[in-house]
Coordinates of all heavy atoms in Angstrom, one line a residue:
M1 N -13.0 -5.1 -1.2 CA -12.0 -5.4 -0.2 C -10.7 -6.0 -0.8 O -9.6 -5.9 -0.3 CB -12.6 -6.3 0.9 CG -11.7 -6.4 2.1 SD -11.3 -4.9 2.9 CE -11.5 -5.3 4.6
L2 N -10.9 -6.8 -1.8 CA -9.8 -7.5 -2.4 C -8.7 -6.5 -2.9 O -7.5 -6.8 -2.7 CB -10.3 -8.4 -3.6 CG -9.2 -9.3 -4.2 CD1 -8.6 -10.2 -3.2 CD2 -9.8 -10.1 -5.4
P3 N -9.0 -5.4 -3.6 CA -7.9 -4.5 -4.1 C -7.1 -4.0 -2.9 O -5.9 -3.8 -3.0 CB -8.7 -3.4 -4.8 CG -9.9 -4.0 -5.3 CD -10.3 -5.0 -4.2
V4 N -7.8 -3.7 -1.8 CA -7.1 -3.1 -0.6 C -6.1 -4.2 -0.1 O -5.0 -3.9 0.2 CB -8.1 -2.7 0.5 CG1 -7.4 -2.3 1.7 CG2 -9.0 -1.6 -0.1
L5 N -6.6 -5.4 0.0 CA -5.7 -6.5 0.6 C -4.6 -6.7 -0.4 O -3.4 -7.0 0.1 CB -6.5 -7.7 0.8 CG -7.5 -7.6 1.9 CD1 -8.3 -8.9 2.0 CD2 -6.9 -7.3 3.2
R6 N -4.8 -6.7 -1.7 CA -3.8 -6.9 -2.7 C -2.7 -5.8 -2.6 O -1.5 -6.1 -2.6 CB -4.3 -7.0 -4.1 CG -3.3 -7.3 -5.1 CD -3.8 -7.6 -6.5 NE -4.5 -6.4 -7.0 CZ -5.6 -6.4 -7.7 NH1 -6.2 -7.6 -7.9 NH2 -6.2 -5.3 -8.1
L7 N -3.2 -4.5 -2.4 CA -2.2 -3.4 -2.3 C -1.4 -3.6 -1.0 O -0.2 -3.4 -1.0 CB -3.0 -2.1 -2.3 CG -2.1 -0.8 -2.1 CD1 -1.2 -0.7 -3.3 CD2 -3.0 0.4 -2.0
L8 N -2.1 -3.9 0.1 CA -1.4 -4.1 1.3 C -0.3 -5.2 1.2 O 0.8 -5.1 1.7 CB -2.4 -4.4 2.4 CG -1.8 -4.7 3.8 CD1 -1.1 -3.4 4.4 CD2 -2.9 -5.1 4.8
G9 N -0.7 -6.3 0.6 CA 0.2 -7.5 0.5 C 1.4 -7.1 -0.4 O 2.5 -7.5 -0.1
L10 N 1.2 -6.4 -1.5 CA 2.3 -6.0 -2.4 C 3.2 -5.1 -1.7 O 4.5 -5.2 -1.8 CB 1.8 -5.5 -3.7 CG 1.1 -6.5 -4.6 CD1 0.4 -5.7 -5.8 CD2 2.1 -7.5 -5.1
R11 N 2.7 -4.1 -1.0 CA 3.5 -3.2 -0.2 C 4.4 -3.9 0.8 O 5.5 -3.6 1.0 CB 2.7 -2.1 0.4 CG 2.2 -1.1 -0.7 CD 1.4 0.0 -0.1 NE 2.4 0.9 0.5 CZ 2.0 2.1 1.0 NH1 0.8 2.5 1.0 NH2 3.0 2.9 1.4
L12 N 3.7 -4.8 1.5 CA 4.4 -5.6 2.5 C 5.5 -6.5 1.9 O 6.6 -6.6 2.4 CB 3.5 -6.5 3.3 CG 4.0 -7.4 4.4 CD1 4.7 -6.5 5.5 CD2 3.0 -8.2 5.0
M13 N 5.2 -7.0 0.7 CA 6.2 -7.8 0.0 C 7.4 -7.0 -0.4 O 8.6 -7.4 -0.2 CB 5.6 -8.4 -1.2 CG 6.5 -9.3 -2.0 SD 5.8 -9.9 -3.6 CE 5.8 -8.4 -4.5
Y14 N 7.2 -5.8 -0.9 CA 8.3 -4.9 -1.2 C 9.2 -4.6 0.0 O 10.4 -4.6 0.0 CB 7.8 -3.6 -1.8 CG 7.3 -3.7 -3.2 CD1 6.4 -2.8 -3.7 CD2 7.7 -4.7 -4.1 CE1 5.9 -2.9 -5.0 CE2 7.2 -4.8 -5.4 CZ 6.3 -3.9 -5.8 OH 5.9 -4.0 -7.1
F15 N 8.5 -4.3 1.1 CA 9.2 -4.0 2.4 C 10.1 -5.2 2.8 O 11.3 -5.1 3.1 CB 8.3 -3.6 3.5 CG 8.9 -3.5 4.8 CD1 9.6 -2.4 5.2 CD2 8.9 -4.6 5.7 CE1 10.3 -2.3 6.4 CE2 9.5 -4.5 7.0 CZ 10.2 -3.3 7.3
L16 N 9.5 -6.4 2.8 CA 10.2 -7.6 3.2 C 11.4 -7.9 2.3 O 12.4 -8.4 2.7 CB 9.3 -8.8 3.4 CG 8.3 -8.6 4.5 CD1 7.3 -9.8 4.5 CD2 9.0 -8.6 5.8
L17 N 11.1 -7.7 1.0 CA 12.2 -7.9 0.0 C 13.4 -7.0 0.2 O 14.5 -7.5 0.3 CB 11.6 -7.7 -1.4 CG 12.6 -8.0 -2.6 CD1 13.0 -9.5 -2.6 CD2 12.0 -7.5 -3.9
V18 N 13.1 -5.7 0.4 CA 14.2 -4.8 0.6 C 14.9 -5.1 2.0 O 16.1 -5.1 2.1 CB 13.7 -3.3 0.6 CG1 14.8 -2.3 0.9 CG2 13.2 -3.0 -0.8
F19 N 14.1 -5.3 3.0 CA 14.7 -5.7 4.3 C 15.5 -6.9 4.2 O 16.6 -7.0 4.8 CB 13.6 -5.8 5.3 CG 14.1 -6.1 6.7 CD1 14.6 -5.1 7.5 CD2 14.0 -7.4 7.2 CE1 15.1 -5.4 8.7 CE2 14.5 -7.7 8.5 CZ 15.0 -6.6 9.3
G20 N 15.1 -7.9 3.5 CA 15.8 -9.1 3.3 C 17.2 -8.9 2.6 O 18.2 -9.4 3.0
V21 N 17.1 -8.1 1.6 CA 18.4 -7.8 0.9 C 19.4 -7.0 1.8 O 20.6 -7.3 1.8 CB 18.1 -6.9 -0.4 CG1 19.4 -6.4 -1.0 CG2 17.4 -7.8 -1.4
L22 N 18.8 -6.1 2.6 CA 19.7 -5.4 3.5 C 20.2 -6.3 4.6 O 21.3 -6.0 5.1 CB 18.9 -4.2 4.1 CG 18.6 -3.0 3.2 CD1 17.7 -2.0 3.9 CD2 19.9 -2.4 2.7
T23 N 19.5 -7.3 5.0 CA 19.9 -8.2 6.1 C 21.0 -9.1 5.5 O 22.0 -9.4 6.2 CB 18.7 -9.0 6.6 OG1 17.7 -8.1 7.1 CG2 19.1 -9.9 7.7
V24 N 20.8 -9.6 4.3 CA 21.8 -10.5 3.8 C 23.1 -9.8 3.4 O 24.2 -10.4 3.5 CB 21.2 -11.3 2.5 CG1 22.2 -12.1 1.8 CG2 20.0 -12.1 3.0
A25 N 23.0 -8.6 2.9 CA 24.2 -7.9 2.5 C 25.0 -7.6 3.7 O 24.5 -7.1 4.7 CB 23.7 -6.6 1.8
P26 N 26.3 -7.7 3.5 CA 27.2 -7.5 4.6 C 27.5 -6.0 4.8 O 28.7 -5.5 4.6 CB 28.5 -8.3 4.2 CG 28.5 -8.3 2.8 CD 27.0 -8.3 2.4
L27 N 26.5 -5.3 5.2 CA 26.7 -3.8 5.4 C 26.9 -3.4 6.8 O 27.4 -2.3 7.1 CB 25.5 -3.1 4.9 CG 25.1 -3.3 3.4 CD1 23.8 -2.6 3.0 CD2 26.3 -2.8 2.5
G28 N 26.7 -4.3 7.8 CA 26.9 -4.0 9.2 C 25.9 -2.9 9.7 O 26.3 -2.2 10.6
L29 N 24.7 -2.9 9.2 CA 23.7 -1.9 9.6 C 22.9 -2.4 10.8 O 22.7 -3.6 10.9 CB 22.8 -1.6 8.5 CG 23.3 -0.9 7.2 CD1 22.3 -0.8 6.2 CD2 23.9 0.5 7.6
D30 N 22.6 -1.5 11.7 CA 21.8 -1.8 12.8 C 20.4 -2.2 12.4 O 19.9 -1.7 11.3 CB 21.7 -0.5 13.7 CG 21.0 -0.8 15.0 OD1 21.1 -1.9 15.6 OD2 20.2 0.1 15.5
L31 N 19.7 -2.9 13.2 CA 18.3 -3.4 12.8 C 17.4 -2.2 12.5 O 16.7 -2.2 11.5 CB 17.7 -4.3 13.9 CG 16.3 -4.7 13.7 CD1 16.2 -5.7 12.5 CD2 15.8 -5.4 15.0
M32 N 17.4 -1.2 13.3 CA 16.5 -0.1 13.2 C 16.8 0.7 11.9 O 15.9 1.1 11.2 CB 16.6 0.9 14.4 CG 15.5 1.9 14.3 SD 13.9 1.2 14.1 CE 13.2 1.7 15.6
I33 N 18.1 0.8 11.5 CA 18.5 1.5 10.3 C 18.0 0.7 9.1 O 17.5 1.2 8.1 CB 20.0 1.7 10.2 CG1 20.5 2.5 11.4 CG2 20.4 2.2 8.9 CD1 19.9 4.0 11.4
R34 N 18.1 -0.7 9.2 CA 17.6 -1.5 8.1 C 16.1 -1.4 7.9 O 15.6 -1.3 6.8 CB 18.0 -3.0 8.3 CG 19.4 -3.3 8.1 CD 19.7 -4.7 8.2 NE 19.2 -5.3 9.5 CZ 19.8 -6.1 10.2 NH1 21.0 -6.6 9.9 NH2 19.3 -6.5 11.3
V35 N 15.4 -1.3 9.0 CA 13.9 -1.2 8.9 C 13.6 0.2 8.3 O 12.7 0.2 7.4 CB 13.3 -1.3 10.3 CG1 11.9 -0.9 10.3 CG2 13.4 -2.7 10.8
L36 N 14.2 1.2 8.7 CA 13.9 2.6 8.2 C 14.3 2.7 6.7 O 13.5 3.2 5.9 CB 14.7 3.6 9.0 CG 14.2 3.8 10.4 CD1 15.1 4.8 11.1 CD2 12.8 4.3 10.4
I37 N 15.4 2.1 6.3 CA 15.8 2.1 4.9 C 14.8 1.3 4.1 O 14.4 1.7 3.0 CB 17.2 1.6 4.7 CG1 18.2 2.6 5.3 CG2 17.5 1.4 3.2 CD1 19.7 2.1 5.3
A38 N 14.5 0.1 4.6 CA 13.5 -0.7 3.9 C 12.2 0.0 3.7 O 11.5 -0.1 2.7 CB 13.4 -2.1 4.6
F39 N 11.7 0.6 4.8 CA 10.5 1.4 4.7 C 10.5 2.4 3.7 O 9.6 2.6 2.8 CB 10.1 2.0 6.1 CG 8.9 2.8 6.1 CD1 7.7 2.1 6.1 CD2 8.9 4.1 6.1 CE1 6.5 2.9 6.1 CE2 7.8 4.9 6.2 CZ 6.5 4.3 6.1
A40 N 11.6 3.2 3.6 CA 11.7 4.3 2.7 C 11.8 3.8 1.3 O 11.1 4.3 0.4 CB 12.9 5.2 3.0
V41 N 12.6 2.8 1.0 CA 12.8 2.3 -0.3 C 11.5 1.6 -0.8 O 11.1 1.8 -2.0 CB 14.0 1.3 -0.4 CG1 14.0 0.6 -1.7 CG2 15.3 2.1 -0.1
S42 N 10.8 0.9 0.0 CA 9.6 0.2 -0.4 C 8.5 1.2 -0.6 O 7.6 1.0 -1.5 CB 9.2 -0.8 0.7 OG 8.8 -0.2 1.9
M43 N 8.5 2.3 0.1 CA 7.5 3.3 -0.1 C 7.7 4.0 -1.5 O 6.7 4.2 -2.3 CB 7.6 4.4 1.0 CG 6.4 5.4 0.9 SD 6.3 6.4 2.4 CE 8.0 7.1 2.5
V44 N 8.9 4.3 -1.9 CA 9.2 4.8 -3.2 C 8.9 3.8 -4.3 O 8.3 4.2 -5.3 CB 10.7 5.3 -3.3 CG1 11.1 5.6 -4.7 CG2 11.0 6.4 -2.3
L45 N 9.3 2.6 -4.1 CA 8.9 1.5 -5.1 C 7.4 1.4 -5.3 O 6.9 1.3 -6.4 CB 9.5 0.2 -4.6 CG 11.0 0.0 -4.8 CD1 11.4 -1.4 -4.2 CD2 11.4 0.0 -6.2
S46 N 6.7 1.5 -4.2 CA 5.2 1.3 -4.3 C 4.6 2.5 -5.0 O 3.6 2.4 -5.7 CB 4.6 1.1 -2.9 OG 4.7 2.3 -2.1
V47 N 5.2 3.7 -4.9 CA 4.6 4.9 -5.6 C 4.7 4.7 -7.1 O 3.8 5.0 -7.8 CB 5.4 6.2 -5.1 CG1 5.1 7.3 -6.1 CG2 5.0 6.5 -3.7
F48 N 5.8 4.1 -7.5 CA 6.0 3.9 -9.0 C 5.4 2.6 -9.5 O 4.9 2.6 -10.6 CB 7.5 4.0 -9.3 CG 8.1 5.4 -9.1 CD1 8.9 5.7 -8.1 CD2 7.7 6.4 -10.0 CE1 9.4 6.9 -7.9 CE2 8.2 7.7 -9.8 CZ 9.1 8.0 -8.7
L49 N 5.6 1.6 -8.7 CA 5.2 0.2 -9.3 C 3.7 -0.2 -9.0 O 3.2 -1.1 -9.6 CB 6.1 -0.8 -8.7 CG 7.6 -0.6 -9.1 CD1 8.5 -1.7 -8.4 CD2 7.8 -0.6 -10.6
L50 N 3.1 0.5 -8.0 CA 1.7 0.1 -7.6 C 0.7 1.1 -8.0 O -0.3 1.3 -7.3 CB 1.7 -0.3 -6.1 CG 2.6 -1.4 -5.7 CD1 2.5 -1.6 -4.2 CD2 2.2 -2.7 -6.4
R51 N 1.0 1.9 -9.0 CA 0.0 3.0 -9.4 C -1.3 2.4 -9.8 O -2.4 3.0 -9.3 CB 0.6 3.8 -10.6 CG -0.2 4.9 -11.0 CD 0.5 5.8 -12.0 NE 1.7 6.3 -11.3 CZ 2.7 6.8 -11.9 NH1 2.9 6.7 -13.2 NH2 3.7 7.3 -11.2
R52 N -1.4 1.4 -10.5 CA -2.7 0.8 -10.9 C -3.5 0.3 -9.7 O -4.7 0.5 -9.6 CB -2.4 -0.4 -11.9 CG -3.7 -1.0 -12.5 CD -3.4 -2.0 -13.5 NE -2.1 -2.6 -13.2 CZ -1.7 -3.9 -13.6 NH1 -2.6 -4.6 -14.3 NH2 -0.6 -4.4 -13.3
E53 N -2.8 -0.4 -8.8 CA -3.5 -0.9 -7.6 C -4.0 0.2 -6.7 O -5.1 0.1 -6.2 CB -2.5 -1.8 -6.8 CG -2.3 -3.2 -7.4 CD -1.3 -3.2 -8.5 OE1 -0.7 -2.1 -8.8 OE2 -1.1 -4.2 -9.2
R54 N -3.2 1.3 -6.6 CA -3.7 2.4 -5.8 C -4.9 3.1 -6.5 O -5.9 3.5 -5.8 CB -2.6 3.5 -5.7 CG -1.6 3.2 -4.6 CD -0.8 4.4 -4.2 NE -0.5 5.3 -5.2 CZ 0.5 5.2 -6.1 NH1 1.3 4.2 -6.0 NH2 0.7 6.2 -7.0
Q55 N -4.9 3.1 -7.8 CA -6.0 3.7 -8.5 C -7.3 2.8 -8.3 O -8.4 3.4 -8.1 CB -5.7 3.8 -10.0 CG -6.8 4.4 -10.8 CD -7.0 5.9 -10.5 OE1 -6.0 6.6 -10.1 NE2 -8.2 6.4 -10.6
E56 N -7.1 1.5 -8.3 CA -8.3 0.6 -8.1 C -8.8 0.8 -6.7 O -10.1 0.9 -6.5 CB -7.8 -0.8 -8.2 CG -7.7 -1.3 -9.6 CD -7.3 -2.8 -9.6 OE1 -7.8 -3.6 -8.8 OE2 -6.5 -3.2 -10.5
V57 N -8.0 1.0 -5.7 CA -8.4 1.2 -4.3 C -9.1 2.5 -4.2 O -10.2 2.6 -3.6 CB -7.2 1.1 -3.3 CG1 -7.6 1.6 -2.0 CG2 -6.7 -0.3 -3.3
A58 N -8.6 3.6 -4.9 CA -9.2 4.9 -4.8 C -10.6 4.8 -5.5 O -11.6 5.4 -4.9 CB -8.3 5.9 -5.5
E59 N -10.7 4.2 -6.6 CA -12.0 4.0 -7.3 C -13.0 3.3 -6.4 O -14.2 3.6 -6.3 CB -11.9 3.4 -8.6 CG -11.2 4.2 -9.6 CD -10.9 3.5 -10.9 OE1 -11.2 2.3 -11.0 OE2 -10.3 4.1 -11.8
R60 N -12.6 2.3 -5.7 CA -13.4 1.5 -4.8 C -13.9 2.3 -3.7 O -15.1 2.3 -3.3 CB -12.7 0.3 -4.3 CG -13.4 -0.7 -3.4 CD -14.5 -1.4 -4.1 NE -14.0 -2.3 -5.2 CZ -13.9 -3.6 -5.1 NH1 -14.1 -4.2 -4.0 NH2 -13.5 -4.3 -6.1
V61 N -13.0 3.1 -3.1 CA -13.4 4.0 -2.0 C -14.4 5.0 -2.5 O -15.5 5.3 -1.8 CB -12.2 4.7 -1.4 CG1 -12.6 5.8 -0.5 CG2 -11.3 3.7 -0.7
V62 N -14.2 5.6 -3.6 CA -15.2 6.6 -4.1 C -16.5 6.0 -4.4 O -17.6 6.5 -4.0 CB -14.6 7.3 -5.4 CG1 -15.7 8.1 -6.1 CG2 -13.4 8.2 -5.1
T63 N -16.5 4.8 -5.0 CA -17.8 4.1 -5.2 C -18.5 3.8 -3.9 O -19.7 4.0 -3.8 CB -17.5 2.8 -6.0 OG1 -16.8 3.1 -7.2 CG2 -18.8 2.1 -6.3
T64 N -17.8 3.3 -2.9 CA -18.4 3.0 -1.6 C -19.0 4.2 -0.9 O -20.1 4.2 -0.4 CB -17.4 2.3 -0.7 OG1 -16.9 1.2 -1.4 CG2 -18.0 1.9 0.6
V65 N -18.2 5.3 -1.0 CA -18.7 6.6 -0.3 C -19.9 7.1 -1.0 O -20.9 7.5 -0.4 CB -17.5 7.6 -0.3 CG1 -18.1 9.0 0.1 CG2 -16.5 7.2 0.7
D66 N -19.9 7.1 -2.4 CA -21.1 7.5 -3.1 C -22.3 6.7 -2.8 O -23.4 7.2 -2.7 CB -20.8 7.5 -4.6 CG -19.8 8.6 -5.0 OD1 -19.6 9.6 -4.2 OD2 -19.3 8.6 -6.1
A67 N -22.1 5.4 -2.7 CA -23.2 4.5 -2.4 C -23.8 4.8 -1.0 O -25.0 4.8 -0.8 CB -22.8 3.1 -2.6
R68 N -22.9 5.0 -0.1 CA -23.4 5.3 1.3 C -24.1 6.6 1.3 O -25.2 6.8 2.0 CB -22.2 5.3 2.3 CG -21.7 3.9 2.5 CD -20.6 4.0 3.6 NE -20.1 2.6 3.8 CZ -19.1 2.3 4.5 NH1 -18.4 3.3 5.2 NH2 -18.7 1.1 4.7
R69 N -23.6 7.6 0.6 CA -24.3 8.9 0.6 C -25.7 8.8 0.0 O -26.6 9.4 0.4 CB -23.5 9.9 -0.2 CG -22.3 10.5 0.6 CD -21.6 11.5 -0.2 NE -20.4 12.0 0.5 CZ -19.4 12.6 0.0 NH1 -19.4 12.8 -1.3 NH2 -18.3 13.0 0.7
E70 N -25.8 8.0 -1.1 CA -27.0 7.8 -1.8 C -28.0 7.1 -0.9 O -29.2 7.5 -0.8 CB -26.8 7.0 -3.0 CG -28.0 6.9 -3.9 CD -27.7 6.2 -5.2 OE1 -26.7 6.6 -5.9 OE2 -28.5 5.4 -5.6
R71 N -27.6 6.1 -0.1 CA -28.5 5.4 0.8 C -28.9 6.3 1.9 O -30.1 6.3 2.3 CB -27.8 4.2 1.4 CG -27.9 3.0 0.5 CD -27.3 1.8 1.2 NE -25.9 1.6 0.7 CZ -24.9 1.3 1.4 NH1 -25.1 1.0 2.7 NH2 -23.7 1.2 0.9
R72 N -28.1 7.2 2.4 CA -28.4 8.1 3.5 C -29.4 9.1 3.0 O -30.4 9.5 3.7 CB -27.2 8.8 4.1 CG -26.4 7.9 5.0 CD -25.3 8.7 5.6 NE -24.5 7.9 6.4 CZ -23.4 8.3 7.0 NH1 -23.0 9.5 6.9 NH2 -22.7 7.4 7.8
G73 N -29.2 9.6 1.8 CA -30.1 10.6 1.2 C -31.5 10.0 0.9 O -32.5 10.7 1.1
Q74 N -31.6 8.8 0.6 CA -32.9 8.1 0.3 C -33.6 7.8 1.6 O -34.8 7.9 1.7 CB -32.7 6.8 -0.5 CG -32.3 7.0 -1.9 CD -32.1 5.7 -2.6 OE1 -32.1 4.7 -2.0 NE2 -31.8 5.8 -3.9
G75 N -32.9 7.5 2.7 CA -33.5 7.2 4.0 C -34.1 8.4 4.6 O -35.1 8.3 5.4
K76 N -33.6 9.6 4.3 CA -34.1 10.9 4.9 C -35.4 11.3 4.2 O -36.2 12.1 4.8 CB -33.1 12.0 4.9 CG -31.9 11.7 5.8 CD -30.9 12.9 5.8 CE -29.8 12.6 6.7 NZ -28.8 13.7 6.7
G77 N -35.6 11.0 3.0 CA -36.7 11.5 2.2 C -37.9 10.9 2.5 O -39.0 11.2 2.9

């Protein structure tokens, strides 16, 4: 569960960082536009900067699914 929470926290941090920069910058953007831009930019950043964390989460999911399948298979036998 820790890798999932770490990935979520880092993605949220990127979003808040970009949103904060857009809020402080005197661009005169509407709130919804700032949120959408921050979402898009943070998503792109997370694709490139959080590759290792995403890989950890994917491995954890595969391990969990395999363990559940194995337990179900043993219970039926």
Side-chain angles (χ1 to χ4, degrees):
M1 188 61 137
L2 185 61
V4 174
L5 293 177
R6 185 172 61 218
L7 179 64
L8 178 66
L10 288 170
R11 290 183 75 175
L12 181 63
M13 182 185 71
Y14 287 154
F15 172 79
L16 292 175
L17 180 69
V18 174
F19 182 76
V21 168
L22 290 173
T23 300
V24 172
L27 300 174
L29 296 173
D30 185 39
L31 175 66
M32 187 55 114
I33 300 297
R34 286 188 307 224
V35 168
L36 291 174
I37 292 172
F39 178 74
V41 171
S42 66
M43 189 168 53
V44 170
L45 285 174
S46 69
V47 165
F48 292 108
L49 300 177
L50 299 177
R51 182 170 296 157
R52 183 177 29 155
E53 285 78 8
R54 280 195 330 272
Q55 185 65 32
E56 284 182 38
V57 170
E59 289 172 1
R60 179 71 59 103
V61 168
V62 167
T63 303
T64 303
V65 168
D66 288 345
R68 287 182 183 176
R69 283 182 183 162
E70 188 175 313
R71 275 186 265 140
R72 285 185 182 177
Q74 289 177 355
K76 291 181 180 179

